[in-house]
């Protein structure tokens, strides 16, 4: 039975986190606040749960969800060949509005959809989301809305769209904060020879370049050559969707 918890109340919040943890363990979907908008989450390591998430959104396998992580160190358990430059960006902007695309660990038994061997990772800057991720481990999370509809900014808005396809709704007030503009995360593809932005968002190119000067902006190519060997000019354009898309 679908249940909603008011996480602005301390006692209810504890009960809500426990219920959400149990739902994730049971391969069901939950709705949680993030620092951008509300997300629909599922166990990243359960193909059944991820399929349920995609079905709830009306989305196919061609648009796989990214994965939210509770701490920076989780990155090395989920990705391989992590460039030093990408690690520097994660250290600078996690938790926060930066999604990084990596080659996924081939040994992991998960199925996020048609990822082409990649995974998009982000550590959200939201206390409730991080508390839940600490309990559940990495979660596949996409924006809590039916595909093509506005992203939900409260759990109630998410419930109006997703109804009983979600087991637990965690309500914590508007996300982003009321009066703030909802800006999606910046997405950086770290799977090629040079880091490149594939979606502009919360972290500006100037901020990224203050940490890694060689980051390519959206649509930019390296000065010396159009792309690295075997890397098409639009590398990363088919990367996993962001949590806000």
């Amino acid at each position: 039975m679908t249940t909603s918890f008011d996480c602005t109340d301390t006692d209810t919040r504890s009960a809500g986190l426990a219920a959400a943890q149990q739902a994730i363990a049971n391969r069901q979907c939950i709705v949680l606040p993030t620092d951008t908008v509300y997300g629909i989450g599922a166990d990243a390591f359960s193909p059944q749960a991820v399929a349920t998430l995609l079905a709830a959104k009306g989305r196919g396998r061609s648009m796989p969800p990214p994965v939210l992580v509770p701490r920076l160190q989780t990155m090395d358990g989920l990705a391989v060949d992590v460039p030093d430059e990408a690690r520097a960006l994660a250290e600078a902007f996690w938790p926060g509005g930066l999604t990084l695309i990596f080659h996924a660990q081939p040994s992991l038994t998960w199925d996020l959809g048609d990822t082409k061997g990649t995974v998009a990772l982000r550590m959200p800057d939201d206390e409730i989301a991080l508390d839940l991720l600490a309990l559940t481990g990495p979660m596949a999370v996409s924006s809590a809305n039916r595909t093509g509809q506005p992203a939900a900014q409260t759990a109630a808005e998410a419930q109006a769209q997703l109804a009983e396809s979600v087991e637990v709704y965690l309500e914590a007030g508007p996300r982003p904060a009321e009066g703030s503009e909802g800006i999606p995360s910046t997405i950086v593809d770290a799977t090629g020879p040079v880091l490149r932005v594939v979606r502009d968002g919360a972290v500006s190119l100037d901020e990224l370049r203050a940490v890694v000067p060689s980051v390519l902006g959206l649509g930019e190519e390296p000065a010396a050559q159009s792309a690295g060997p075997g890397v098409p000019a639009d590398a990363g354009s088919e990367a996993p969707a962001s949590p806000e898309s």
Side-chain angles (χ1 to χ4, degrees):
M1 179 183 296
T2 294
T3 311
S4 180
F5 294 87
D6 178 6
C7 291
T8 62
D9 177 86
T10 303
D11 293 336
T12 310
R13 170 176 163 166
S14 297
L17 288 173
Q21 179 186 17
Q22 186 60 55
I24 293 296
N26 292 340
R27 301 176 183 174
Q28 297 165 319
C29 292
I30 61 103
V31 159
L32 71 159
T34 77
D35 46 343
T36 52
V37 293
Y38 275 72
I40 176 173
D43 181 357
F45 300 105
S46 168
Q48 173 190 328
V50 174
T52 300
L53 183 157
L54 293 174
K57 285 183 61 71
R59 172 176 286 186
R61 288 176 53 81
S62 62
M63 300 180 71
V67 174
L68 297 189
V69 298
R71 60 188 64 86
L72 190 148
Q73 292 80 1
T74 308
M75 177 173 62
D76 292 305
L78 304 181
V80 293
D81 303 325
V82 175
D84 290 341
E85 294 88 348
R87 192 179 302 278
L89 291 182
E91 290 172 349
F93 299 109
W94 282 6
L98 176 67
T99 298
L100 294 166
I101 301 171
F102 298 108
H103 295 292
Q105 281 278 4
S107 61
L108 293 176
T109 55
W110 60 3
D111 183 4
L112 298 170
D114 299 331
T115 64
K116 300 177 174 61
T118 66
V119 63
L121 302 179
R122 186 167 88 86
M123 180 181 174
D125 189 12
D126 185 277
E127 185 178 348
I128 294 173
L130 290 175
D131 284 350
L132 180 58
L133 289 163
L135 296 172
T136 64
M139 283 198 296
V141 178
S142 184
S143 55
N145 59 288
R146 294 284 296 176
T147 296
Q149 297 300 309
Q153 293 186 281
T154 65
E157 289 181 6
Q159 191 165 4
Q161 296 189 50
L162 301 173
E164 294 184 1
S165 61
V166 169
E167 185 71 10
V168 173
Y169 289 86
L170 300 180
E171 180 65 80
R175 293 291 192 280
E178 201 161 1
S180 301
E181 183 180 357
I183 301 176
S185 66
T186 298
I187 304 179
V188 173
D189 184 355
T191 63
V194 181
L195 301 190
R196 64 173 68 230
V197 174
V198 294
R199 187 181 71 185
D200 290 325
V203 181
S204 71
L205 182 59
D206 285 344
E207 289 174 309
L208 295 173
R209 284 179 172 165
V211 179
V212 179
S214 60
V215 175
L216 296 177
L218 190 64
E220 291 182 350
E221 298 300 333
Q225 53 188 6
S226 61
V231 180
D234 61 349
S237 62
E238 295 184 329
S242 77
E244 298 77 35
S245 62

